[in-house]
Amino acid sequence: MTVTPTSVDEVTAGLRSAGYLPGESTALVSYLATRLGKPVLVEGPAGVGKTELAKALSRYLDRELVRLQCYEGLDEAKALYEWNYRKQLLRIQAEREGEAWGTVHDDIFGEEFLLTRPLLNAITSEKPVVLLIDEIDKTDQEFEAMLLELLSDFQITIPELGRIEARSMPVVLLTSNNSRELTEALKRRCLYLWLDYPTPEHELEIVRLHAPEISETVARRLIEVVSMVRELDLKKPPSIAESIDWARALLLLGAEDLTPELFRQTMSIIVKHRTDLDIVAERVGVKLGMAA
Ligand SMILES: Nc1ncnc2c1ncn2[C@@H]1O[C@H](COP(=O)(O)OP(=O)(O)O)[C@@H](O)[C@H]1O
Ligand SMILES: [Mg+2]
């Protein structure tokens, strides 16, 4: 049985039990999405928990996750459905003697010859699912327009088959890393959630969830340093994903404190551009040196 939450607090607790620590607005928007049946557009920098939110919601709501990973050039054939040409050809070749073309035609445009892709699967599933349309900003506006239609009516028309209506209502999350501005039309149809780097307290909790054995001292220092690094003008500031990786690495190395030396040795876990490394080594390295 899928879960239907009855309050924001319930969603907070549910997501937590699914291994995701939501901020206030995350829990609120997730709750509204499940109750209003509206898609959520989740925007924010890379590595702040956008994709994971959809996964956690699927675990908590006990719905299967259907994921459409977007990329440049993604089209309807890969996202929605396409005809199985090879199978259709075989059917035509196996044409029985004297068979009318009309019969063959009806046959090869029947459901048996249809290849369903994530979007169609999500709306035709008997059991309600969580549909994750990940990194929508990588597709073009044409694709966005197609999606709009699907998300507003929850039905599609396949010329040869007719209208296909949703059998169940998915909880829909679209994520974007902001690489391009999405259309107003899309935004209008969605609830909006901006996910940013968390507060130090929140991030500390997330890191401890993923690396429970880490010592209090190291965890606090790590968060402090990561916040410091984020303040610098870097090409790619470290995300939660990097904080977690760093915590796990420090744990493996048996670190008891974050010394300047250890920082120099491991900072490439959180900073991954040559020029960024130079900036961080200079600015943060010096600060740590003074503190030690
Ligand atoms: N609120 C959170 N609670 C628990 N883990 C989180 C949270 N936010 C981020 N994470 C962790 O951070 C990592 C990166 O998250 P991800 O969803 O892949 O980022 P994004 O999709 O925004 O680029 C994942 O390992 C995820 O488990
Ligand atoms: Mg992601």
Side-chain angles (χ1 to χ4, degrees):
M1 267 302 278
T2 56
V3 174
T4 306
T6 56
S7 71
V8 180
D9 288 345
E10 222 178 283
V11 173
T12 305
L15 283 173
R16 280 177 165 267
S17 69
Y20 190 90
L21 308 180
E24 238 172 75
S25 46
T26 305
L28 175 71
V29 173
S30 305
Y31 171 63
L32 293 178
T34 58
R35 299 305 300 264
L36 299 175
K38 288 194 99 169
V40 185
L41 172 62
V42 192
E43 276 194 307
V48 292
K50 300 185 295 296
T51 304
E52 189 59 33
L53 173 61
K55 294 185 185 168
L57 271 174
S58 96
R59 292 194 291 270
Y60 158 47
L61 299 172
D62 202 9
R63 290 166 173 240
E64 194 195 322
L65 181 73
V66 176
R67 179 173 184 172
L68 176 66
Q69 177 63 51
C70 298
Y71 51 86
E72 217 183 302
L74 174 65
D75 59 8
E76 277 188 36
K78 287 286 169 290
L80 204 52
Y81 74 91
E82 67 183 322
W83 291 104
N84 189 341
Y85 298 118
R86 196 181 311 220
K87 199 168 167 190
Q88 286 179 320
L89 273 180
L90 284 173
R91 171 66 183 86
I92 293 169
Q93 277 167 5
E95 188 186 346
R96 290 169 284 271
E97 197 154 349
E99 196 173 12
W101 166 244
T103 317
V104 179
H105 181 275
D106 286 352
D107 222 21
I108 61 176
F109 287 107
E111 269 185 47
E112 194 196 333
F113 294 85
L114 195 68
L115 291 172
T116 62
R117 303 300 187 200
L119 295 178
L120 187 57
N121 288 340
I123 67 164
T124 53
S125 163
E126 293 287 346
K127 290 190 191 147
V129 302
V130 170
L131 170 61
L132 166 63
I133 302 172
D134 214 10
E135 308 190 350
I136 173 78
D137 51 329
K138 290 204 175 134
T139 65
D140 51 27
Q141 291 202 357
E142 209 177 303
F143 186 84
E144 229 182 273
M146 184 277 289
L147 211 55
L148 269 181
E149 221 182 296
L150 182 88
L151 294 184
S152 41
D153 305 338
F154 288 99
Q155 63 176 33
I156 67 153
T157 302
I158 300 178
E160 298 86 351
L161 283 182
R163 204 172 62 198
I164 298 189
E165 281 175 36
R167 288 196 196 122
S168 56
M169 286 296 278
V171 168
V172 184
L173 269 84
L174 302 105
T175 78
S176 161
N177 287 335
N178 253 338
S179 71
R180 74 172 170 86
E181 191 71 34
L182 300 171
T183 60
E184 285 303 320
L186 181 81
K187 289 193 173 170
R188 211 165 37 236
R189 293 225 177 32
C190 297
L191 299 172
Y192 186 74
L193 176 64
W194 171 258
L195 274 190
D196 212 335
Y197 302 118
T199 61
E201 280 312 307
H202 190 192
E203 188 163 14
L204 185 64
E205 213 192 339
I206 296 173
V207 162
R208 305 194 68 170
L209 176 78
H210 288 270
E213 287 113 81
I214 196 162
S215 83
E216 183 74 26
T217 324
V218 177
R220 285 195 178 276
R221 289 276 275 170
L222 173 154
I223 298 297
E224 209 178 299
V225 171
V226 168
S227 319
M228 218 190 289
V229 173
R230 278 187 200 139
E231 308 250 296
L232 304 172
D233 188 19
L234 301 184
K235 262 198 191 133
K236 168 73 179 73
S239 69
I240 302 178
E242 270 99 19
S243 300
I244 295 172
D245 284 345
W246 199 23
R248 287 185 173 147
L250 292 174
L251 196 59
L252 264 179
L253 296 173
E256 269 153 31
D257 196 4
L258 194 52
T259 60
E261 200 199 347
L262 195 55
F263 177 67
R264 260 190 296 279
Q265 287 167 346
T266 57
M267 70 180 183
S268 61
I269 297 173
I270 58 166
V271 183
K272 295 166 180 169
H273 278 279
R274 180 83 209 101
T275 47
D276 285 354
L277 278 170
D278 291 341
I279 299 173
V280 170
E282 188 184 307
R283 304 280 295 276
V284 180
V286 167
K287 268 198 187 154
L288 277 179
M290 285 190 310

